[in-house]
Amino acid sequence: MLMDILNVTTVTLGEVVYGACCLDDHKAKILGCDFIVHYGHSCLVPNHQSSLPALYIFVTIRFPIGPFLAAFNSKISSSVKSIALMGTIQFIPGLATISRNLSENGIKVVTPQAFPLSPGETLGCTSPRIPLNVTTAIFVSDGTFHLESAMLQNRHVKDFYRYDPYSRSLLRSVYPASEKVKYRHKASINAKHAKMWGIVHGTLGRQGNNRLVGRLEDLFRIKGLKFLKVPLSEITPKLFQLFPQVEAWVQIACPRLSIDWGEEYTARPLLTPFEAFLALNASEASSQKSFDYPMDFYAKRTGPWGNYWNQ
């Protein structure tokens, strides 16, 4: 259609796209493109930072409010007077309608925000913080990956519920967030004495942030540690078998690879950037209270382990 209407040549990139972090502007530029269209995700990489102008096409899935309210009234205790409301990007427009209806019924609704994301929007690696006085949250999504991010970030929330707009079900969600954080803390401790580090620099879209990689390299040099860097689009267990001399790894691609499957990739610690800063006793990470586990990889308010630190 674009070829006929605008008299332009179009190229369809066949790479895997897991999310907004997979904007493939660099590859499109190499292929000679002047413009890129990215479907279905948030604008995580703003145009002034991408190598090509990018048009983000958001996907909005609308759902009726009636079934949600019926499920809410049957499942949520009448003693709950305040809730946090969150969800995945395609369902975010519906949160405003839910909030308005619940507010009219005397329930205080908090829609937390992690800039630059929309209010309530949650990514698998980036979640807004829910106020400490709110202990019930409802997450609108058709899966649990993004919800788990919210549960890791907000371990003080007693009850998380997930509303699935397709099945119209509201179910209480259970996820071992505290156990996950303890395990990740252990991985950081195990990496503290490593003398040889490996950096996996993700090359799938914009997963690997060059500035973040540079900050880690600077930190290794300051600590007098040896390191090697491996650029890679997909992380597999075979990679780690090729470098037996590496005592600890940090991957700058997707934090959830380490959180969810780190121990399945390698017996060596496979850390997220935050965990690496923690293991290396960087002051910004060490000051986190009670081993707070920030899910803020793409948040504006983050530490040196995040994409938008000092921007």
Side-chain angles (χ1 to χ4, degrees):
M1 183 180 292
L2 287 174
M3 296 177 67
D4 297 334
I5 297 175
L6 300 178
N7 192 29
V8 297
T9 300
T10 60
V11 176
T12 301
L13 297 175
E15 289 281 8
V16 174
V17 176
Y18 293 111
C21 56
C22 297
L23 178 73
D24 225 346
D25 54 322
H26 292 327
K27 185 170 292 182
K29 187 174 183 178
I30 292 172
L31 292 172
C33 298
D34 306 304
F35 191 82
I36 187 167
V37 179
H38 189 87
Y39 278 92
H41 298 108
S42 308
C43 179
L44 277 189
V45 184
N47 272 323
H48 72 276
Q49 293 185 5
S50 59
S51 56
L52 289 177
L55 174 64
Y56 289 84
I57 306 297
F58 300 145
V59 172
T60 298
I61 300 177
R62 304 190 183 280
F63 57 94
I65 191 67
F68 170 85
L69 294 175
F72 180 90
N73 291 328
S74 66
K75 294 290 181 69
I76 306 297
S77 170
S78 59
S79 63
V80 175
K81 299 302 180 184
S82 64
I83 66 164
L85 197 57
M86 308 161 75
T88 51
I89 183 63
Q90 66 267 39
F91 300 118
I92 290 300
L95 299 190
T97 305
I98 292 175
S99 178
R100 184 171 60 253
N101 277 268
L102 293 180
S103 297
E104 290 173 353
N105 287 280
I107 297 174
K108 181 181 179 181
V109 179
V110 176
T111 309
Q113 184 173 11
F115 292 97
L117 306 183
S118 303
E121 181 187 354
T122 304
L123 304 179
C125 63
T126 308
S127 174
R129 293 181 181 272
I130 298 172
L132 293 177
N133 62 340
V134 177
T135 58
T136 301
I138 295 179
F139 198 92
V140 182
S141 70
D142 58 345
T144 63
F145 182 73
H146 300 78
L147 167 60
E148 291 164 0
S149 171
M151 298 176 81
L152 283 165
Q153 176 81 290
N154 301 282
R155 301 196 305 283
H156 66 281
V157 175
K158 180 182 177 182
D159 295 310
F160 264 99
Y161 293 86
R162 182 173 70 88
Y163 180 72
D164 186 335
Y166 298 118
S167 64
R168 299 182 176 182
S169 60
L170 179 65
L171 301 174
R172 188 171 182 272
S173 296
V174 177
Y175 177 70
S178 294
E179 286 73 14
K180 280 282 187 183
V181 169
K182 290 178 182 177
Y183 187 86
R184 298 314 307 163
H185 189 192
K186 181 180 178 181
S188 294
I189 293 173
N190 290 341
K192 279 184 177 292
H193 303 293
K195 301 300 182 183
M196 179 67 185
W197 284 72
I199 301 175
V200 177
H201 188 173
T203 60
L204 181 63
R206 283 301 196 93
Q207 282 193 344
N209 185 294
N210 291 330
R211 288 185 296 273
L212 175 52
V213 172
R215 290 196 292 273
L216 279 165
E217 290 176 337
D218 290 343
L219 188 56
F220 288 140
R221 293 187 184 103
I222 291 171
K223 299 286 185 179
L225 300 172
K226 296 180 180 180
F227 65 91
L228 57 82
K229 183 169 64 175
V230 183
L232 207 66
S233 62
E234 291 285 340
I235 298 177
T236 66
K238 289 184 179 180
L239 162 71
F240 306 105
Q241 297 172 11
L242 298 174
F243 302 96
Q245 74 273 31
V246 173
E247 299 171 271
W249 291 88
V250 53
Q251 54 91 9
I252 295 85
C254 175
R256 291 296 294 274
L257 294 175
S258 295
I259 296 169
D260 295 346
W261 303 293
E263 65 274 17
E264 297 180 20
Y265 282 114
T266 172
R268 303 290 193 181
L270 176 60
L271 307 184
T272 69
F274 168 71
E275 293 165 356
F277 275 91
L278 189 67
L280 296 169
N281 291 317
S283 59
E284 297 90 347
S286 300
S287 64
Q288 297 290 308
K289 297 179 179 178
S290 302
F291 191 58
D292 183 17
Y293 198 86
M295 298 297 290
D296 57 359
F297 197 53
Y298 279 99
K300 286 288 186 182
R301 297 175 181 175
T302 183
W305 53 83
N307 283 279
Y308 293 133
W309 183 64
N310 272 357
Q311 292 186 44

